Amino acid sequence: MDKSYKLLTPGPLTTTDSVKQQMLFDHCTWDSDYMQITEGIRARLLELGHCDQAEYTVVLMQGSGTFGVESVLTSVVGMDDKVLLCTNGAYGDRQVQMCDHAGVNYVRYNVEYDQVPDPQRIEQILDADPSITHVSMVHSETTSGLLNDIQPVGELTAERGITFIVDAMSSFGGMEIPVQQWHIDFLVSSANKCIQGVPGFSFIIARREPLEASNGQARSLSLDLWDQWHTLEQAGGKWRYTSPTHVVLAFAQALEELAAEGGIPARAARYAQNNHRLITRMCALGFRTYLEDHQGPFITTFFYPDGVQVDFADMYEFIKERGYAIYPGKLTNEETFRVANMGEIYTPDIDQVTDLFAQYLDARGLLGKIGFDSLEDARHAMEQASA
């Protein structure tokens, strides 16, 4: 029985067969060929971030994206420093947890999940508290799909000599982020997001000066960012501890396929088209987006149609059995679910999964409650909306 399905989730996400095939090879971590692959990945990531290699470097860190974020926060924010955490979702909340757990000194600026941090308010906070040495925020907040505006914050921090940390987990590789131009000192992302690799390591694009200054500050042995970087530099691509070799090989292939697609501009255009088509077709069915503004092109949070009671687990299984996996909502006070359009996903996939939502509503006798006489009427409405 074929149990395969495509992932409409924000990572892991659907990868190509050619990326998966790279993991059939068992590679030695000490092999010079493998270390050259690691060095090639580091160089390519600098190019994708539009960074001068004299000013920036790349650190690869075992583990998920959370490991990478925690590595940065617990390594570069020293005992005498203070970080301003700008939060509007669960992944910003997670940074607060990290700092609490590791004893990192912080102050928090929190806004609602459907709002964005105000650069003017951030400026006021920085002006009022000169002890703040770092600012950290999420770019694409996976909780809701919201895209924060990080560029003006980078300008604020650069003017004040403050270190700027960005969690770009669900955005890097899926849209242009000129790291150096936007004054980002540490950008964190993961192998299994928009570059379309598989889970197993995170990566940090780091400005050399604050990275070098963090030597000896880490609160963790395995997540010591400086020591991880120093070993990669000194040993020519040798990881400090056992690396996820199969994942690294898959990621190298994913980078090749990103280039073959036309680079970040082409992938960004595909993701944006997917997202627009998804939203227009879902809204035609009566679903509503959680966000009215600041919707990012990677993942969308939806409300159920008005007046309709839906069991998410039931809907999830219905859609999964027919070839697609969606995501539960992450809001604590709203009944929502999420659909991502990252990964190896194209227009036919968006059309198929939205048709499955219509089929589900029809199968549960719910189409009439949202104004459709038949499944064909619902399909016609979606086609008109996406024409």
Side-chain angles (χ1 to χ4, degrees):
M1 179 179 177
D2 183 8
K3 295 183 179 180
S4 65
Y5 48 85
K6 291 187 176 182
L7 301 177
L8 294 174
T9 65
L13 37 69
T14 296
T15 59
T16 63
D17 289 342
S18 47
V19 163
K20 288 187 272 283
Q21 286 166 2
Q22 295 298 309
M23 294 187 289
L24 297 175
F25 185 77
D26 299 322
H27 222 310
C28 172
T29 60
W30 284 90
D31 188 274
S32 60
D33 290 344
Y34 178 72
M35 289 191 286
Q36 287 175 16
I37 292 170
T38 295
E39 290 296 85
I41 288 172
R42 296 176 69 206
R44 182 66 183 128
L45 289 172
L46 277 184
E47 293 175 4
L48 292 176
H50 304 284
C51 294
D52 180 353
Q53 65 178 353
E55 297 287 332
Y56 281 79
T57 186
V58 170
V59 190
L60 308 182
M61 180 64 68
Q62 295 93 325
S64 68
T66 297
F67 287 62
V69 174
E70 187 165 1
S71 173
V72 172
L73 287 173
T74 60
S75 295
V76 308
V77 184
M79 298 300 294
D80 297 326
D81 295 332
K82 181 191 287 186
V83 58
L84 170 61
L85 303 177
C86 305
T87 63
N88 60 342
Y91 294 89
D93 296 345
R94 188 173 295 176
Q95 292 191 17
V96 175
Q97 290 180 294
M98 293 172 185
C99 290
D100 281 334
H101 195 273
V104 175
N105 190 22
Y106 71 92
V107 61
R108 183 179 188 181
Y109 165 41
N110 184 57
V111 299
E112 296 297 325
Y113 280 14
D114 61 347
Q115 303 296 315
V116 297
D118 182 359
Q120 291 186 340
R121 178 60 184 141
I122 294 173
E123 183 175 21
Q124 292 170 355
I125 294 171
L126 296 179
D127 288 343
D129 188 350
S131 67
I132 294 172
T133 54
H134 298 66
V135 172
S136 180
M137 65 188 300
V138 176
H139 186 208
S140 173
E141 182 44 91
T142 308
T143 307
S144 60
L146 180 146
L147 194 67
N148 285 313
D149 189 4
I150 57 175
Q151 184 178 0
V153 181
E155 293 171 356
L156 287 174
T157 57
E159 290 169 359
R160 292 162 172 75
I162 292 172
T163 300
F164 188 32
I165 301 166
V166 173
D167 172 345
M169 213 63 59
S170 297
S171 57
F172 186 81
M175 63 181 295
E176 292 284 12
I177 305 176
V179 175
Q180 187 167 352
Q181 182 183 338
W182 287 3
H183 308 290
I184 300 170
D185 296 292
F186 295 90
L187 178 142
V188 190
S189 192
S190 180
N192 59 295
K193 299 290 186 174
C194 295
I195 294 177
Q196 298 184 186
V198 299
F201 72 88
S202 56
F203 56 86
I204 299 95
I205 300 177
R207 191 162 67 85
R208 289 178 179 271
E209 184 178 348
L211 175 60
E212 292 172 353
S214 71
N215 183 12
Q217 294 184 162
R219 294 162 173 82
S220 165
L221 173 65
S222 60
L223 297 180
D224 186 331
L225 187 67
W226 180 88
D227 202 23
Q228 184 87 345
W229 167 74
H230 185 255
T231 302
L232 285 166
E233 290 281 293
Q234 296 299 310
K238 175 68 176 69
W239 298 54
R240 226 177 5 142
Y241 305 126
T242 302
S243 61
T245 53
H246 302 81
V247 177
V248 171
L249 298 178
F251 189 73
Q253 176 65 25
L255 284 171
E256 293 293 332
E257 295 181 8
L258 172 61
E261 185 174 351
I264 291 176
R267 183 154 296 175
R270 173 163 63 87
Y271 284 3
Q273 182 181 19
N274 283 346
N275 184 255
H276 177 73
R277 192 172 186 87
L278 171 70
I279 290 173
T280 55
R281 290 174 68 87
M282 290 293 283
C283 288
L285 277 180
F287 294 94
R288 294 182 295 111
T289 59
Y290 168 70
L291 294 174
E292 295 183 4
D293 301 298
H294 314 294
Q295 172 67 56
F298 308 109
I299 183 168
T300 307
T301 297
F302 290 102
F303 289 115
Y304 298 104
D306 292 338
V308 171
Q309 293 292 321
V310 175
D311 181 341
F312 174 79
D314 180 55
M315 183 174 70
Y316 174 84
E317 289 298 330
F318 182 95
I319 293 172
K320 177 184 170 184
E321 288 172 0
R322 290 157 179 80
Y324 292 91
I326 58 175
Y327 226 48
K330 206 172 179 65
L331 306 179
T332 57
N333 58 346
E334 302 279 1
E335 288 292 330
T336 61
F337 65 94
R338 293 175 288 170
V339 183
N341 48 261
M342 306 152 63
E344 195 66 4
I345 300 296
Y346 296 88
T347 297
D349 296 300
I350 300 300
D351 290 351
Q352 288 176 38
V353 76
T354 49
D355 188 71
L356 288 175
F357 279 104
Q359 290 181 43
Y360 174 78
L361 293 172
D362 183 52
R364 299 298 181 264
L366 299 173
L367 277 181
K369 292 184 178 182
I370 54 178
F372 294 111
D373 293 329
S374 67
L375 178 58
E376 287 308 310
D377 284 345
R379 286 169 170 163
H380 180 68
M382 286 193 293
E383 286 303 315
Q384 282 191 315
S386 59

